[in-house]
Amino acid sequence: MSMKLYKRWTAAALVCVMSATVSITSGLALPATESFAEFRIDAAGNDIQDRTITVDLYRLDKKGRFQVDDTIEYTCKLNRATRDASFFIQPQEDGVWVSVDYLTDLNGDGTYELLDGGDSPVWDVMDLQGGLTQSKGEAAALTSGETYILSPETLVLRSKEAVQNRTPEGAFSLDVGSGTVAKQDFPLCMIKLHRTDPGDGQDYVQTYYLEIYDRVLIPTDVSPSQWYYEPVKFVLNKGYFTGTKNGLFEPEGQLTRAQLAQVLWTMSGCQNAKMSQFSDVAVGSWYYSAVSWCQQEGLIAGYSSNIFAPNDTLSREQMVSILYRYAKYAGGSLRVSDDLSQFDDVEDVSRWAVESMRWAVTNGVLSNTESSLLPSKNVTRAEMAAALYAFEVSSNRK
């Protein structure tokens, strides 16, 4: 996982035998061709993905201000892990030391900011207890064969402080062309294991990129810049939705009747129900219990007494009608105040769905409704996630 960015500064280390620290000076480091330490992750959720990233490199100018000096794009291996993780570092040689840098994206434009402090490093170094502090010219030298633990709580805390330090009022304020700071769950961490080769005196590094998520890994087709990021994170963390078989969320994929039944059943605690009488809902199918429960509670009716059509897609007006019934069942907000006259397609709403549409607009359940309701448009997985997110918010403030 060596970084393919040779122009990026790193720190050289001068290792003294029997010393507990190494001195750090500005210099050039090379990716290690042979491993001198292990970096391991133990987490309930963990994967490694190729990621192409763009980095604005900020360097100090003559006035001591950080200014963009270079913009570079490169591909790296990205380790993603859930917050229950433990990160283990085990040196195979003496004199290894650890630095952690933070790649922020303050304006949410997809380009990371990375700071080069020159002779005054602004990255962190790790101590023997796994703590992280800003470098002051030396770092703890790790002992070969020992195992050191870096906790996710420490990384998250220092990451948040890095974001704060780079805002206009922070210690290393950056001008990123935006008046507000984009929300960041966790900046991209660059963890470097350093070692100076006693033979050639050269500093070598092993570089690892890391992102931490709360409970589940956010699929790679959902990014913080997209309008449905928070809703998708919500439904994944709640367990209402899962990713698809290929590990993606497929936000533009269409929602089926069986999928909505499964969501409502999960939201209600996966309760037992009488057996379904639908001929197209087989015993043992992944949605059998959910459909049976939704039928029992009157939330989703069949097309007839024995046909449910589990794979049929749902329109927006069908979705909000079902959620309105669920709100009545679950004791959610039933506020209905908005009329629909401001929408240019109000006449397209079916008579049976008018009240549900008014409820959905009042409680913010229906997304993308600036001028049109689009009642007959098929619901996407992203829109359903947004509806559930808004439903949760409205229920908490009813």
Side-chain angles (χ1 to χ4, degrees):
M1 299 183 190
S2 296
M3 184 179 181
K4 299 178 181 178
L5 181 56
Y6 299 96
K7 295 175 68 177
R8 169 73 168 104
W9 63 268
T10 55
L14 302 177
V15 183
C16 300
V17 178
M18 302 301 291
S19 174
T21 61
V22 292
S23 299
I24 301 170
T25 59
S26 180
L28 179 68
L30 296 175
T33 57
E34 295 184 3
S35 174
F36 51 78
E38 291 185 5
F39 180 73
R40 301 192 303 274
I41 299 174
D42 180 15
N46 181 37
D47 65 20
I48 303 175
Q49 300 182 354
D50 290 323
R51 176 78 62 86
T52 298
I53 64 176
T54 303
V55 177
D56 279 343
L57 181 59
Y58 284 75
R59 288 192 175 95
L60 288 170
D61 63 13
K62 293 181 179 179
K63 296 182 179 180
R65 299 173 302 187
F66 281 101
Q67 302 290 334
V68 177
D69 182 70
D70 204 356
T71 300
I72 305 167
E73 182 178 282
Y74 61 96
T75 299
C76 63
K77 294 286 187 183
L78 177 62
N79 295 268
R80 308 192 314 154
T82 47
R83 198 160 176 166
D84 62 347
S86 294
F87 307 111
F88 301 96
I89 298 171
Q90 186 175 62
Q92 297 162 346
E93 303 284 348
D94 285 333
V96 173
W97 59 279
V98 180
S99 68
V100 180
D101 217 330
Y102 309 97
L103 284 74
T104 56
D105 182 10
L106 297 187
N107 59 2
D109 64 356
T111 297
Y112 290 102
E113 302 99 19
L114 184 61
L115 277 56
D116 179 357
D119 291 329
S120 301
V122 294
W123 30 260
D124 286 348
V125 292
M126 188 184 83
D127 61 29
L128 299 180
Q129 289 73 44
L132 293 173
T133 56
Q134 186 179 332
S135 172
K136 295 182 179 179
E138 63 180 23
L142 309 186
T143 302
S144 176
E146 295 290 333
T147 299
Y148 301 85
I149 300 176
L150 183 58
S151 76
E153 289 78 13
T154 299
L155 285 168
V156 170
L157 175 62
R158 292 298 291 161
S159 292
K160 290 179 178 179
E161 291 173 349
V163 171
Q164 187 61 40
N165 281 338
R166 298 177 189 188
T167 59
E169 303 301 323
F172 308 126
S173 58
L174 305 183
D175 178 8
V176 292
S178 176
T180 59
V181 176
K183 182 180 185 301
Q184 289 187 291
D185 291 327
F186 187 75
L188 182 60
C189 277
M190 184 166 62
I191 300 173
K192 289 187 173 182
L193 312 185
H194 303 251
R195 179 178 180 270
T196 298
D197 190 314
D200 59 17
Q202 175 63 55
D203 184 36
Y204 291 92
V205 295
Q206 296 173 205
T207 305
Y208 303 86
Y209 295 85
L210 178 66
E211 281 184 335
I212 295 179
Y213 295 81
D214 285 338
R215 299 186 185 91
V216 296
L217 302 180
I218 304 300
T220 55
D221 58 347
V222 177
S223 72
S225 63
Q226 293 163 317
W227 66 268
Y228 45 77
Y229 178 80
E230 287 298 327
V232 169
K233 185 176 74 171
F234 167 77
V235 296
L236 289 174
N237 282 332
K238 285 287 190 178
Y240 300 158
F241 271 61
T242 60
T244 59
K245 290 181 179 179
N246 56 9
L248 303 177
F249 185 78
E250 296 184 359
E252 298 304 320
Q254 295 183 350
L255 190 76
T256 67
R257 286 163 56 83
Q259 288 171 341
L260 181 52
Q262 184 75 14
V263 167
L264 298 181
W265 183 61
T266 302
M267 289 173 65
S268 294
C270 303
Q271 302 178 46
N272 294 326
K274 296 178 181 178
M275 295 179 62
S276 167
Q277 301 302 312
F278 296 122
S279 61
D280 56 352
V281 178
V283 176
S285 59
W286 61 266
Y287 48 80
Y288 178 80
S289 296
V291 170
S292 298
W293 180 81
C294 285
Q295 179 191 25
Q296 173 182 288
E297 302 301 331
L299 301 178
I300 307 179
Y303 289 150
S304 67
S305 61
N306 67 337
I307 298 296
F308 183 77
N311 295 319
D312 277 12
T313 55
L314 285 159
S315 68
R316 283 158 64 89
E317 67 178 8
Q318 288 172 335
M319 176 193 71
V320 298
S321 294
I322 294 169
L323 285 179
Y324 188 34
R325 292 185 210 124
Y326 183 78
K328 293 177 180 179
Y329 164 84
S333 171
L334 299 178
R335 293 181 303 115
V336 178
S337 57
D338 286 6
D339 67 45
L340 306 178
S341 59
Q342 72 269 33
F343 299 105
D344 56 24
D345 58 353
V346 63
E347 297 299 327
D348 296 335
V349 178
S350 300
R351 292 182 61 183
W352 52 264
V354 171
E355 187 74 2
S356 301
M357 276 291 184
R358 289 181 58 212
W359 168 81
V361 172
T362 300
N363 292 279
V365 171
L366 200 62
S367 59
N368 303 322
T369 54
E370 291 185 4
S371 60
S372 301
L373 294 167
L374 306 174
S376 61
K377 177 180 176 292
N378 285 340
V379 178
T380 66
R381 287 166 57 84
E383 288 173 332
M384 185 64 208
L388 295 175
Y389 187 50
F391 180 87
E392 176 86 359
V393 172
S394 66
S395 295
N396 289 336
R397 69 184 181 205
K398 64 177 180 176

